[in-house]
Amino acid sequence: MIYDTFIGPFIEFEFMRRALVGACALAIAGSPLGVFLILRRMALTGDAMAHAILPGAALGYLVAGLSLPAMTIGGLAAGFTVALAAGLIARLTALREDASLAGFYLISLALGVVIVSARGSNVDLLHVLFGSVLALDDATLLLLASIATVTLVVLAVGYRALAMETLDPGFLSSVSGAGAPTQLIFLALVVLNLVGGFHALGTLLAVGVMMLPAASARLWSADITRMTAIAIGIGLISSYFGLLFSYHYSLPAGPMIILMAGVVHFVSLVFGQAGGLLRNAFAGRHLEA
């Protein structure tokens, strides 16, 4: 019973193993970035950037169909362009960066859907919007593994600078000129991981595996290192159980992974030891006493 429920699907079916490896790669690389996005109060920026890559990926699809290299290059180009353009608009106009990103987010989503719809079928549109985590081939798995490796190496090398720039950017600017390069490298990693997530989970769900585990981890700890470890753990658990529920109940795999992360998030909202509802309720009573 235990074998058939929890182990058998991944032993017997290669597509389940591939999906698990791909989802775990996204969780391991994306969750730490989500932690820093949460701490930098840029959570919605991640969502906006996830949609910003859609027109580039759609143009790649328009040129070469469902081609991994074409859609990846297009998505990267669009993501970097929107990130730089949003920052430039915030500097040159009265709009703040979040407002300019919101504008790009809406335009990008609409434009990407129109491009894909003009060339392909509803199946292709669903593939772009919601991904196909159960149909990952060798090339896509290699891409996800490469992105995860690059992300972890860069985070390991620049962890102190990124943490300092997140917690006290003024101090980092006063002692070195690493603030702006650190910000650019961080945004580049976010775009890179969103493009990888796009191939597995689609543009609408790619940011979920990055942000939901990070938001949950924030409710369990205020320490960056612990938050990162907790977020990765939640991402891995959500990937595993999301795929299991998808297999046993014939549900879409990508949305189930995000829903599992959502379940953990609601549990964290109630029971989290660093800001959950119960924790705050008892803390308030203690102060009243």
Side-chain angles (χ1 to χ4, degrees), residues 57-71 119:
L59 287 175
Y61 169 81
L62 192 64
V63 172
L66 294 175
S67 166
L68 179 65
M71 296 180 72
R119 164 69 186 270

Side-chain angles (χ1 to χ4, degrees), residues 3-15:
Y3 175 86
D4 292 337
T5 302
F6 297 103
I7 303 174
F10 300 103
I11 298 296
E12 297 175 14
F13 300 103
E14 183 180 5
F15 71 90

Side-chain angles (χ1 to χ4, degrees), residues 7-148:
I7 303 174
F10 300 103
I11 298 296
E12 297 175 14
F13 300 103
E14 183 180 5
F15 71 90
M16 290 291 290
R17 294 195 297 272
R18 289 175 174 273
L20 183 61
V21 171
C24 287
L26 291 173
I28 291 172
S31 297
L33 296 176
V35 168
F36 284 104
L37 285 171
I38 292 289
L39 294 177
R40 296 157 75 98
R41 300 182 180 180
M42 296 173 62
L44 292 180
T45 299
D47 187 53
M49 294 302 300
H51 295 84
I53 68 176
L54 181 55
L59 287 175
Y61 169 81
L62 192 64
V63 172
L66 294 175
S67 166
L68 179 65
M71 296 180 72
T72 299
I73 293 172
L76 288 173
F80 289 133
T81 299
V82 167
L84 293 175
L88 186 62
I89 289 174
R91 290 177 179 271
L92 299 179
T93 70
L95 288 178
R96 295 179 58 180
E97 189 169 2
D98 59 341
S100 61
L101 276 173
F104 279 119
Y105 150 69
L106 295 170
I107 295 169
S108 298
L109 181 59
L111 180 60
V113 170
V114 168
I115 293 174
V116 176
S117 300
R119 164 69 186 270
S121 64
N122 288 335
V123 174
D124 295 327
L125 182 59
L126 289 175
H127 172 85
V128 170
L129 293 179
F130 298 104
S132 54
V133 70
L134 293 180
L136 299 180
D137 55 18
D138 291 341
T140 306
L141 284 179
L142 183 60
L143 174 66
L144 296 178
S146 300
I147 290 174

